[in-house]
Amino acid sequence: ALRADSRVASLLGGDVVVGATFSQSSSNVNGAVSLALQCQLSGKKGEGVVSIRGQGGNGDVYVTSLVVQANGQQFEVPTLRGGGGGDVSGGAGGSGVIDIEVVQ
């Protein structure tokens, strides 16, 4: 989703890479899971931050929000699950599930 967004490409350049997670939190209340991550973004032209929020249960977590901050701008990127503000589109396959592995 991030790589396909014209604003992300304009601000950071092509081949945007999601880097290290520098903030994370999660909760599990009666099987309902909430997840929040902040990761570094980098491209050929610059760097930024992406805030990722997810929700789910039964072992699946769905990305509900992607917010990019770069070069003094902040905007929300739409997700496959319908969240987001209409600036980036992308894919996670037909299931709508995006696997996120945090490696530190």
Side-chain angles (χ1 to χ4, degrees):
L2 295 171
R3 291 181 185 153
D5 186 86
S6 62
R7 290 178 304 166
V8 173
S10 173
L11 289 172
L12 302 178
D15 298 326
V16 173
V17 175
V18 178
T21 299
F22 61 87
S23 176
Q24 65 184 32
S25 65
S26 63
S27 67
N28 185 336
V29 179
N30 296 325
V33 175
S34 295
L35 170 72
L37 303 170
Q38 286 189 307
C39 304
Q40 298 172 345
L41 280 179
S42 62
K44 292 179 180 178
K45 293 163 97 179
E47 297 181 348
V49 173
V50 61
S51 298
I52 305 166
R53 294 195 179 275
Q55 295 181 338
N58 298 323
D60 292 329
V61 176
Y62 299 92
V63 173
T64 58
S65 172
L66 294 171
V67 177
V68 172
Q69 298 174 7
N71 295 335
Q73 297 184 39
Q74 177 175 315
F75 51 92
E76 194 165 2
V77 175
T79 68
L80 288 176
R81 302 292 293 175
D87 294 312
V88 178
S89 60
S95 69
V97 176
I98 299 174
D99 281 336
I100 300 174
E101 180 178 352
V102 179
V103 179
Q104 295 185 346

